[in-house]
Amino acid sequence: MRRGVVVTGGSRGIGLATARLFQRSGYEVVSLSRSAPTAPGVEHLAVDITELASVERAAVVLTERAVSWDRTVLIHNAAVHRRDTVSSLTARDLQAVLSANLAAPQALNHELIPVMGSGSSILYVGSTLAEKAAPGAASYVTSKHGMIGLMRATCQDLAGSGVHTACICPGFTDTAMLRAHVGDAVGSITAMITAGRLLEPEEIAEIARFCADSPALNGAVLHANLGQIER
């Protein structure tokens, strides 16, 4: 059986850890990202999720590749995370984030679903902010709430197709994206976690691998955050 994985943002962080894990598990792996992943055997397709036309072109290429796979795993991992508030966020800036974080995944869904065989899966990488909010992340919170809605629509609309879906919502994960966003506040962030540490990207990758093989989780939202201390 030929199995393939498409992961957006597979060049770093959670995406790179996921690409490596699936590659070691015998999948053909294609990363959609601006830079090439540092993972031997992982194919790179240059894509900028902030440019919808770039995603749509890649989707056509991927469809031609996925036709040969018996089982496809599509992982929507890449996202734009900006500092903004409801009072500062312009409509155009919100539209840009929604395009990258929601329209781009749907562009891939639209092209790939028709060629996805039974046992395939569509996995969304959300956030703890997909079901709650924090100050200073208005566009990100809005888009991640929308991602859960898109996942649930995927579950309902693909009923009977043999394709299952889930949304994995990581907590504070030790990635370049997180450190760029929180700066010197890593210590205070860690103090908000019951385990006293950040998640490793490989831990989220393991959950994605489990979800890909678990149709019983169809429509599920899985929070992986080591237990956040609410304040």
Side-chain angles (χ1 to χ4, degrees):
M1 174 183 289
R2 291 188 65 184
R3 302 178 298 173
V5 174
V6 175
V7 55
T8 62
S11 62
R12 61 179 185 169
I14 291 172
L16 178 58
T18 301
R20 285 173 169 165
L21 178 59
F22 275 90
Q23 197 275 333
R24 291 196 303 269
S25 300
Y27 285 77
E28 298 176 35
V29 183
V30 182
S31 168
L32 272 60
S33 50
R34 285 178 293 184
S35 58
T38 55
V42 174
E43 182 179 338
H44 175 232
L45 188 57
V47 172
D48 183 350
I49 64 165
T50 66
E51 298 291 339
L52 191 55
S54 172
V55 179
E56 290 172 335
R57 287 192 297 270
V60 174
V61 174
L62 284 169
T63 299
E64 296 174 355
R65 178 75 177 276
V67 167
S68 65
W69 293 336
D70 300 294
R71 181 180 298 174
T72 300
V73 181
L74 174 56
I75 304 176
H76 299 301
N77 166 71
V80 171
H81 191 173
R82 297 177 178 173
R83 290 181 178 273
D84 48 40
T85 66
V86 171
S87 58
S88 68
L89 178 63
T90 67
R92 288 188 180 277
D93 286 342
L94 175 59
Q95 185 178 49
V97 172
L98 293 178
S99 177
N101 294 1
L102 285 175
Q106 181 52 30
L108 294 172
N109 288 346
H110 182 264
E111 293 297 327
L112 286 172
I113 285 172
V115 299
M116 294 176 77
S118 181
S120 296
S121 57
I122 299 174
L123 305 179
Y124 299 84
V125 179
S127 165
T128 53
L129 296 182
E131 292 192 316
K132 65 178 184 179
S139 61
Y140 186 76
V141 167
T142 301
S143 67
K144 290 301 182 179
H145 274 65
M147 177 167 276
I148 286 184
L150 181 57
M151 183 278 295
R152 288 174 170 156
T154 302
C155 175
Q156 296 300 312
D157 290 340
L158 298 187
S161 69
V163 177
H164 66 276
T165 186
C167 184
I168 304 158
C169 294
F172 296 114
T173 307
D174 196 359
T175 63
M177 179 178 176
L178 174 74
R179 290 184 177 273
H181 189 71
V182 303
D184 296 331
V186 172
S188 60
I189 291 296
T190 303
M192 297 169 58
I193 304 171
T194 60
R197 67 174 179 86
L198 300 176
L199 283 155
E200 294 297 330
E202 290 75 15
E203 293 177 283
I204 305 303
E206 289 283 358
I207 296 171
R209 180 72 175 84
F210 180 76
C211 287
D213 286 336
S214 303
L217 295 174
N218 195 18
V221 178
L222 295 88
H223 286 278
N225 55 34
L226 291 173
Q228 288 189 4
I229 301 171
E230 302 295 342
R231 302 189 188 280

